[in-house]
Amino acid sequence: MRHLSRRRLFMGAGAAAGAGALAACGGVGGGGGDSASNLRYAFWGNNVRQENYQEAFDLMAEGNEDLALKVEFAEYSAFQERMTTQMAAGNVSDIFWIPSAQVMTYYSNGLYRPLDGVESLDLSDYADADIQDFLLDGEHNTMPFGVFVPVIRYNATFVEEDGVDWPESWDWDAFAEFAKEYTAESEDRWGVAYAADADLPFEGWLRQRGEQLWSEGGRIGYTQEGLESWIAWWEDLREAGATPTIGEQDGVGASWEDVGDRCLAWFSNSNHIVDDATMFPDFEFALSHLPVDPSASDGHQFLYFPRQAIYAEASDANAELAGEVFNFTTGDVEMLKVVGLTMGAPVNPRVAEEYVEFASPAETAMLEVVSEDREADRSPRFEAPPGSSTWRTVMTRTLEEVTTGSSTISEAAAAMIEEINQGIDRAASGEEDA
Amino acid sequence: MTAALRAKERPPGSPSVGPSPPRRRGRRSQGLAAHAFMSPWLIGLVLVTAAPMLASLYLSFTDYNIMSTPTFVGFDNFERMVGDERFWASTRVTSLYVLVSVPLQLVFALMLALVLDRGLRGLSIYRSAYYLPSLLGTSVAVAVLWKQIFGHDGLVNQALALIGIQGTNWLQNPDSALWTLIILNVWTFGSPMVIFLAGLRQIPEELYEAARVDGASQIRMFRHITIPLLTPIVFFNLILQTIGSFQAFTQAHVISGGTGGPVDSTLFYTLYIYQQAFVNFDMGYASALAWVLLLAIAVITALHFTLSKYWVFYGD
């Protein structure tokens, strides 16, 4: 046997370590690599979504080998953590989904590559008005890939079983009275789940009163009175027993798993029906629009777009490939046939029409309600400004204080607005310093 | 003739000339080997621990949102804590958690160790079974399990219902949420228990025999032999568990969904650091918070060591 000297041992170990380090660097890859196989796509969701998207991307790669994606997937919170560290390291994926509260934060930090120069991106299916809806601060730098609207989801099986008359439309007071009566007459069902933390319905409430969630100038777009009225409407329902208790529904954000099969109505986003309906297959679910205030201002309807973007530091070659990925994810019905509509109605109007014949009953309900809001006149809406990314957490805490009696509605609303404003001010001062 | 003998024969103060003696060469190569074997740890210490700590120290004096260049702001981040209600809320929550859960856990662990030290049949099985929660205790799975136990329709309320008591959702009640996490921490008593058990085995049996001959009762033997000789172990466990409890994070993160709710009742200090760093993107403030925690742990640990001379008995 050949003798291995200590010197040789160390040299060998050093070489192995160096090779390992180099291999590791190569494996991780940079955000701006030129090779097609380095095109990275980051998104969030559950395991089912991951498997479906992977299957769809495999399908895409069959048609174009250059579009083989390296998928970076995580649950929503973990996704944001990873994005944070990747941003700090300048190593963001070429294509990434944008968490709703971070849209303008990422924008203000230059994370998006303008899409105007991406020649491969095909926008021929969109009207000018559609494109206008996509712009952020006048720039086309993100690509929506779905549409959500605020809705009341209701259990159509309960409606039939209990002989309830579910109207085409109603105002908020009428709905509240209906929910109270339904609960009173039902033995083990509630009229509605407590959902004062539901962001899109809250935004709908504000817009019907001539207010906004966020202003064009990047500030809070509503008054303390507007916020108080929303919380008070829900408190009235909760105190009347028309909703489960906070304990029964496991927090101010109701747990669908815990009480979804015992609530007639549920305020939420239109897309949630797709996943949630699968949890209770014995029931049929349907969607209707939010109640409408009699004095609601015109254009109160709005669309929320989940967005994806190309990283600003992506190479030109990868940006062009990313444009083709956008075409597939938003403009090819084959993609949606695999992944379904968990991320909302198709943003591409042509694809929305093509998909109708493949839609499940829940998806059909969603497509109809989104289509109606899409056809309505809509006043502009604005995204959450930098520094406001925690607003939903702050709102949850505000509602916890109200529902536990720690604060009055007025005190809690004032504190919530102050805390959100502090975050926006801090981000603004940081930008000025930078 | 060996190198050592040659060195002895050399007149004092005479210069060392010529080739290095073989022994010195051997020592040098041994030193190199030692350094080579230590190098992975040293590299890890510098790159993964020391450098990030220094970077964090620098960032604690800056306004840094991760994406832009850090701006030096002096002690602004530290001054901000004074008026930050959530900083004080997280400090209160963490302090209560440490003050209650650490002594409870140590008492529980010691009691179980005393029982297991009585020479039970199948001791290794019991030891493994009791240690199991320590392996799982801070994992996501157990935090989810806790939700099933203390939730509205959880096991605790089902048990209470059997005796006619309607329970609350213990995790959604600001008055009880933290206590469920304290119970979770106490439940992970396996690690200190094993250490206590090892300590109990080190106490000489002759001391107990002599005490028995003198007619000492079990309680007196426990008080005058077991406890004094076990104090170094208690001290060791106390330090470890105190530091670990100050760093508790996973349970509160999973159970509260990362919010520290309800109404900040489970807002552990580390959770607040996490929120500032990864949700608010306020890495400068988060770094300052982290350094305050480090200093607090250092001061409390130093205090433990200072006070230990009054109650820890090393037998020398």
Side-chain angles (χ1 to χ4, degrees), chain B residues 43-267:
Chain B
I43 292 168
L45 177 71
V46 171
L47 295 183
V48 183
T49 304
M53 279 184 72
L54 288 175
S56 161
L57 181 60
Y58 165 67
L59 291 177
S60 69
F61 294 102
T62 67
D63 181 7
Y64 178 46
N65 77 350
I66 293 178
M67 288 166 276
S68 58
T69 311
T71 311
F72 187 76
V73 293
F75 284 92
D76 281 6
N77 288 326
F78 296 93
E79 289 171 11
R80 186 174 143 195
M81 288 177 210
V82 178
D84 182 353
E85 287 180 16
R86 301 196 76 213
F87 163 76
W88 291 112
S90 65
T91 304
R92 276 194 300 275
V93 167
T94 307
S95 301
L96 179 62
Y97 178 77
V98 173
L99 281 172
V100 176
S101 73
V102 171
L104 271 180
Q105 189 194 45
L106 293 186
V107 168
F108 204 66
L110 179 57
M111 284 167 54
L112 260 296
L114 287 167
V115 171
L116 294 181
D117 191 43
R118 297 174 75 88
L120 292 176
R121 188 173 292 174
L123 175 64
S124 59
I125 295 172
Y126 284 114
R127 203 164 44 200
S128 303
Y130 287 132
Y131 192 75
L132 203 57
S134 290
L135 296 175
L136 305 173
T138 53
S139 72
V140 172
V142 166
V144 172
L145 172 69
W146 230 240
K147 255 185 143 169
Q148 299 303 319
I149 293 172
F150 290 103
H152 186 266
D153 297 324
L155 284 176
V156 170
N157 283 350
Q158 287 177 25
L160 288 174
L162 293 175
I163 53 173
I165 297 174
Q166 186 179 358
T168 177
N169 185 330
W170 304 92
L171 300 168
Q172 290 301 329
N173 185 335
D175 296 328
S176 59
L178 180 61
W179 293 95
T180 65
L181 296 182
I182 288 173
I183 293 171
L184 175 57
N185 192 46
V186 173
W187 183 57
T188 58
F189 59 85
S191 178
M193 182 202 70
V194 168
I195 297 170
F196 276 135
L197 198 53
L200 288 169
R201 295 290 169 92
Q202 296 303 312
I203 298 175
E205 182 58 29
E206 303 89 72
L207 295 178
Y208 291 109
E209 286 171 5
R212 271 188 219 105
V213 169
D214 289 343
S217 66
Q218 288 289 334
I219 293 174
R220 282 185 75 88
M221 284 193 287
F222 177 72
R223 190 174 157 198
H224 294 290
I225 299 174
T226 308
I227 290 291
L229 292 180
L230 209 57
T231 50
I233 307 296
V234 174
F235 180 58
F236 177 75
N237 273 332
L238 179 67
I239 295 287
L240 282 192
Q241 297 307 320
T242 302
I243 293 173
S245 297
F246 269 112
Q247 296 172 335
F249 172 81
T250 313
Q251 309 94 308
H253 183 263
V254 173
I255 287 174
S256 72
T259 66
V263 201
D264 283 349
S265 59
T266 60
L267 183 67

Side-chain angles (χ1 to χ4, degrees), chain A residues 6 9-10 77-78 80-85 87-89 102 105-106 108-109 111 245-252 257-258 262 387 389-390 393 396-397 400-401 404 406 419 426 429-431 433-434, chain B residues 26 29-30 32-34 36-37 63-69 71 73 80 86 147-148 151-153 166 168-169 171-172 174 253 257-259 261-264 274-283:
Chain A
R6 184 176 287 138
L9 175 69
F10 290 147
S77 297
Q80 293 190 64
E81 287 170 26
R82 193 177 57 201
M83 276 294 288
T84 305
T85 50
M87 286 187 294
Q102 310 288 8
T105 302
Y106 288 180
S108 69
N109 286 284
L111 231 60
T245 64
I246 299 304
E248 283 167 330
Q249 65 171 36
D250 200 29
V252 294
E257 184 182 353
D258 288 334
R262 287 179 283 167
S389 56
T390 56
T393 311
T396 297
R397 184 156 25 92
E400 286 170 350
E401 286 172 1
T404 55
S406 308
E419 187 171 344
R426 203 173 296 121
S429 67
E431 281 178 22
D433 291 343
Chain B
S29 63
Q30 279 184 351
L32 281 174
F37 280 111
D63 181 7
Y64 178 46
N65 77 350
I66 293 178
M67 288 166 276
S68 58
T69 311
T71 311
V73 293
R80 186 174 143 195
R86 301 196 76 213
K147 255 185 143 169
Q148 299 303 319
H152 186 266
D153 297 324
Q166 186 179 358
T168 177
N169 185 330
L171 300 168
Q172 290 301 329
H253 183 263
T259 66
V263 201
D264 283 349
Y274 162 83
Q275 288 180 357
Q276 291 297 332
F278 290 97
V279 183
N280 277 2
F281 295 160
D282 201 344
M283 198 60 85

Side-chain angles (χ1 to χ4, degrees), chain A residues 273-274 277-278 340-341 355-367:
Chain A
I273 190 174
V274 177
T278 60
L341 300 186
Y355 188 76
V356 167
E357 66 177 295
F358 308 107
S360 67
E363 289 175 333
T364 302
M366 181 188 68
L367 288 170

Side-chain angles (χ1 to χ4, degrees), chain A residues 292-310:
Chain A
V292 179
D293 193 87
S295 62
S297 46
D298 291 339
H300 63 81
Q301 287 93 340
F302 67 101
L303 309 178
Y304 172 78
F305 300 113
R307 296 167 186 265
Q308 56 190 340
I310 302 175

Side-chain angles (χ1 to χ4, degrees), chain A residues 205-261:
Chain A
W205 170 278
L206 294 172
R207 288 171 66 94
Q208 289 185 20
R209 282 152 184 76
E211 300 189 2
Q212 289 267 18
L213 187 55
W214 307 108
S215 73
E216 186 174 10
R219 308 293 308 186
I220 287 176
Y222 51 88
T223 61
Q224 185 176 326
E225 290 73 30
L227 173 58
E228 284 180 22
S229 64
W230 169 253
I231 300 174
W233 188 80
W234 281 104
E235 280 300 282
D236 174 52
L237 282 170
R238 188 180 68 83
E239 287 170 356
T243 69
T245 64
I246 299 304
E248 283 167 330
Q249 65 171 36
D250 200 29
V252 294
S255 161
W256 177 248
E257 184 182 353
D258 288 334
V259 291
D261 58 348

Side-chain angles (χ1 to χ4, degrees), chain A residues 87-422:
Chain A
M87 286 187 294
N91 186 33
V92 176
S93 294
D94 299 284
I95 306 169
F96 54 94
W97 288 12
I98 310 165
S100 60
Q102 310 288 8
V103 173
M104 296 308 290
T105 302
Y106 288 180
Y107 169 68
S108 69
N109 286 284
L111 231 60
Y112 307 145
R113 184 186 177 104
L115 299 181
D116 294 337
V118 180
E119 293 177 3
S120 59
L121 181 61
D122 180 5
L123 299 172
S124 59
D125 290 326
Y126 301 93
D128 287 344
D130 293 328
I131 303 294
Q132 285 297 315
D133 276 345
F134 301 166
L135 304 186
L136 291 179
D137 202 18
E139 283 185 30
H140 187 207
N141 45 24
T142 62
M143 189 64 206
F145 57 97
V147 186
F148 308 163
V149 298
V151 294
I152 305 177
R153 182 170 75 232
Y154 63 95
N155 189 318
T157 309
F158 287 0
V159 167
E160 192 176 333
E161 283 176 1
D162 298 335
V164 174
D165 180 26
W166 190 271
E168 283 287 310
S169 64
W170 41 21
D171 63 32
W172 294 87
D173 288 341
F175 177 84
E177 288 309 310
F178 164 81
K180 290 175 193 171
E181 283 176 24
Y182 177 84
T183 310
E185 291 171 9
S186 176
E187 280 185 13
D188 55 354
R189 291 173 182 169
W190 294 283
V192 61
Y194 183 88
D197 71 321
D199 56 344
L200 291 195
F202 172 49
E203 189 169 356
W205 170 278
L206 294 172
R207 288 171 66 94
Q208 289 185 20
R209 282 152 184 76
E211 300 189 2
Q212 289 267 18
L213 187 55
W214 307 108
S215 73
E216 186 174 10
R219 308 293 308 186
I220 287 176
Y222 51 88
T223 61
Q224 185 176 326
E225 290 73 30
L227 173 58
E228 284 180 22
S229 64
W230 169 253
I231 300 174
W233 188 80
W234 281 104
E235 280 300 282
D236 174 52
L237 282 170
R238 188 180 68 83
E239 287 170 356
T243 69
T245 64
I246 299 304
E248 283 167 330
Q249 65 171 36
D250 200 29
V252 294
S255 161
W256 177 248
E257 184 182 353
D258 288 334
V259 291
D261 58 348
R262 287 179 283 167
C263 291
L264 174 64
W266 200 277
F267 282 67
S268 70
N269 299 357
S270 53
N271 62 309
H272 291 170
I273 190 174
V274 177
D275 284 334
D276 286 354
T278 60
M279 189 173 286
F280 303 114
D282 294 339
F283 298 130
E284 278 184 32
F285 296 95
L287 299 180
S288 67
H289 294 285
L290 290 184
V292 179
D293 193 87
S295 62
S297 46
D298 291 339
H300 63 81
Q301 287 93 340
F302 67 101
L303 309 178
Y304 172 78
F305 300 113
R307 296 167 186 265
Q308 56 190 340
I310 302 175
Y311 182 39
E313 302 299 321
S315 67
D316 291 345
N318 275 5
E320 289 303 324
L321 288 171
E324 292 187 44
V325 174
F326 283 179
N327 294 340
F328 182 74
T329 54
T330 61
D332 195 327
V333 75
E334 296 303 319
M335 165 88 182
L336 294 179
K337 281 158 70 175
V338 177
V339 302
L341 300 186
T342 61
M343 287 307 288
V347 71
N348 185 317
R350 172 182 56 78
V351 175
E353 284 181 21
E354 289 176 2
Y355 188 76
V356 167
E357 66 177 295
F358 308 107
S360 67
E363 289 175 333
T364 302
M366 181 188 68
L367 288 170
E368 285 173 1
V369 78
V370 170
S371 174
E372 286 162 9
D373 274 359
R374 201 167 185 172
E375 287 167 8
D377 289 335
R378 301 183 306 275
S379 60
R381 80 174 288 274
F382 306 99
E383 296 286 352
S388 67
S389 56
T390 56
W391 81 269
R392 291 195 63 185
T393 311
V394 176
M395 187 169 191
T396 297
R397 184 156 25 92
T398 299
L399 297 170
E400 286 170 350
E401 286 172 1
V402 171
T403 54
T404 55
S406 308
S407 297
T408 64
I409 293 175
S410 180
E411 289 168 350
M416 172 176 156
I417 289 172
E418 185 186 352
E419 187 171 344
I420 295 172
N421 273 332
Q422 280 176 356

